[in-house]
Amino acid sequence: VQLVESGGSLVQAGGSLRLSCTASGSIFSISGGGWYRQAPGKQREMVAVVNSGGYTNYADPVKGRFTISRDNDKNNLYLQMNSLNAEDTAVYYCASWVVGRTIWGQGTQVTVSS
């Protein structure tokens, strides 16, 4: 299974972006998926996850601003990001899980200018 992200861009503070992740198979409906991010000089961190049953969980800094969703028919995972601020600047990665191992996408850059 391969994951391909898209949608990253340069955006002004207060703006919105929607990231998309397309899987080569029906992995999100089976295993769920998540979005993670890594800022320069920092460790990769969880942003939002959704499990196979549709339960979602968000990191505290993004609660109320970001929304994770999926389209099982299209094998897509999305991250709607609103009210972006400079602290959201990072490379965003899509992830899912197969037989206990994590599959990562290549990442997409999100840069928020203040």
Side-chain angles (χ1 to χ4, degrees):
V1 176
Q2 292 184 328
L3 305 177
V4 179
E5 302 99 332
S6 61
S9 181
L10 172 64
V11 63
Q12 288 189 335
S16 298
L17 279 177
R18 188 176 85 151
L19 304 183
S20 299
C21 176
T22 299
S24 57
S26 304
I27 194 170
F28 297 133
S29 61
I30 297 171
S31 302
W35 288 96
Y36 296 72
R37 68 186 181 186
Q38 188 166 19
K42 295 186 177 181
Q43 290 188 334
R44 192 172 299 188
E45 61 179 4
M46 186 274 287
V47 175
V49 293
V50 57
N51 69 8
S52 57
Y55 175 80
T56 58
N57 190 35
Y58 296 90
D60 286 343
V62 308
K63 284 181 179 177
R65 299 189 297 124
F66 291 11
T67 303
I68 188 171
S69 62
R70 64 185 181 189
D71 184 332
N72 291 337
D73 291 336
K74 296 182 179 179
N75 297 328
N76 280 355
L77 189 71
Y78 304 103
L79 185 68
Q80 177 67 42
M81 306 186 293
N82 299 327
S83 301
L84 286 160
N85 58 58
E87 288 70 40
D88 297 317
T89 294
V91 178
Y92 284 72
Y93 296 91
C94 173
S96 191
W97 304 274
V98 176
V99 197
R101 74 180 172 91
T102 303
I103 299 173
W104 296 98
Q106 83 287 354
T108 186
Q109 177 70 47
V110 173
T111 302
V112 183
S113 63
S114 56

